[in-house]
Amino acid sequence: MPSWPGWAGAGIVLVWSVWRWWRLRAVWEATGYSLTQDEVLVRGGLFFRTQCALPFGRIQTIEVDSGPLQRRFGLATVTVATGAYQSVSVEDIETEEAERIRDLLTRLATERQVAL
């Protein structure tokens, strides 16, 4: 019985695992956020880079979500949205940091709310 199918399968699994590990690290390093004086800046994307700036006065909703795997590791996702259906998300932030960001953005958005 030939043994090459087993070795080929093991090689495929190894290459796939290395690719996933590299991609996970690269996505982690490519994602980030910053709070400036007037807006939230979010960057992300591995192959197609995106950068978005949301002024505090335009923020309407701020959500902190945490799936089962994120809860297991004490992480959460913060999603900030405007009334124009524009939203940005920052994933895999520590839960305490996500709640602090939510509270800070809520306060800043309330203070700088744009009149309609």
Side-chain angles (χ1 to χ4, degrees), residues 4 10 26 34 41 55-56 58 65 72 81 88 94 103 106 110 115-116:
W4 68 267
S34 177
L41 302 172
F56 292 134
R58 299 277 183 192
D65 299 318
R72 172 77 171 99
V88 294
E94 290 183 359
D103 295 341
T106 301
T110 304
L116 299 175

Side-chain angles (χ1 to χ4, degrees), residues 39-54:
E39 57 195 4
V40 179
L41 302 172
V42 178
R43 67 177 166 84
L46 182 57
F47 297 112
F48 298 97
R49 302 280 176 149
T50 59
Q51 292 183 341
C52 186
L54 292 177

Side-chain angles (χ1 to χ4, degrees), residues 4-77:
W4 68 267
W7 285 107
I12 290 170
V13 169
L14 178 65
V15 168
W16 182 81
S17 299
V18 168
W19 163 254
R20 294 289 295 174
W21 183 255
W22 173 84
R23 185 180 173 280
L24 179 66
R25 181 180 170 123
V27 168
W28 179 266
E29 291 174 354
T31 303
Y33 70 94
S34 177
L35 301 176
T36 67
Q37 184 105 8
D38 299 318
E39 57 195 4
V40 179
L41 302 172
V42 178
R43 67 177 166 84
L46 182 57
F47 297 112
F48 298 97
R49 302 280 176 149
T50 59
Q51 292 183 341
C52 186
L54 292 177
F56 292 134
R58 299 277 183 192
I59 294 174
Q60 289 193 349
T61 60
I62 305 163
E63 297 178 359
V64 176
D65 299 318
S66 186
L69 192 58
Q70 285 179 318
R71 282 193 305 273
R72 172 77 171 99
F73 294 102
L75 302 172
T77 298

